[in-house]
Amino acid sequence: MKNKASSAVAAIEETPSESVNTTLGLIGGEVLLSLETCGPVSLGDVVSKLEWPSELVYMAVGSLIRRHMVGASFRGDEIVVHLFKRDDVRAEKAN
């Protein structure tokens, strides 16, 4: 586990002028672009497609979920991430 955490820290330290939030925003943008072009995809596929440490991708996806930009659901034993449509966002916030 220490190796994974240190790779995430190293990725952030490589861009010292950027904050963690900026780095997560860049990754979040890549996640959104990937979902827009490919449609719903497993979280594992998102991690393998992007060239960022997996922990940073998980944090970026979590941030997008909290902001109601993407949703996630279980399909078997994997997590599938998908874009929210505007109507889905309104229904989610209403509940």
Side-chain angles (χ1 to χ4, degrees):
M1 188 71 159
K2 187 177 179 183
N3 250 353
K4 290 182 180 180
S6 63
S7 66
V9 170
I12 292 171
E13 289 175 349
E14 286 178 9
T15 54
S17 64
E18 296 177 340
S19 69
V20 173
N21 288 333
T22 302
T23 302
L24 293 179
L26 291 170
I27 298 168
E30 289 183 31
V31 170
L32 290 172
L33 182 61
S34 177
L35 292 174
E36 190 174 311
T37 57
C38 299
V41 65
S42 75
L43 188 55
D45 288 344
V46 171
V47 168
S48 64
K49 182 176 181 178
L50 302 181
E51 295 182 10
W52 292 95
S54 59
E55 293 81 10
L56 293 177
V57 177
Y58 297 145
M59 286 189 279
V61 170
S63 174
L64 293 171
I65 290 171
R66 285 188 300 279
R67 293 180 0 216
H68 302 282
M69 297 178 81
V70 302
S73 57
F74 286 99
R75 182 177 16 168
D77 61 347
E78 63 184 8
I79 298 172
V80 176
V81 182
H82 59 88
L83 286 174
F84 266 143
K85 298 176 188 166
R86 290 179 191 235
D87 294 335
D88 294 340
V89 173
R90 283 190 219 124
E92 177 93 6
K93 287 184 178 181
N95 292 331

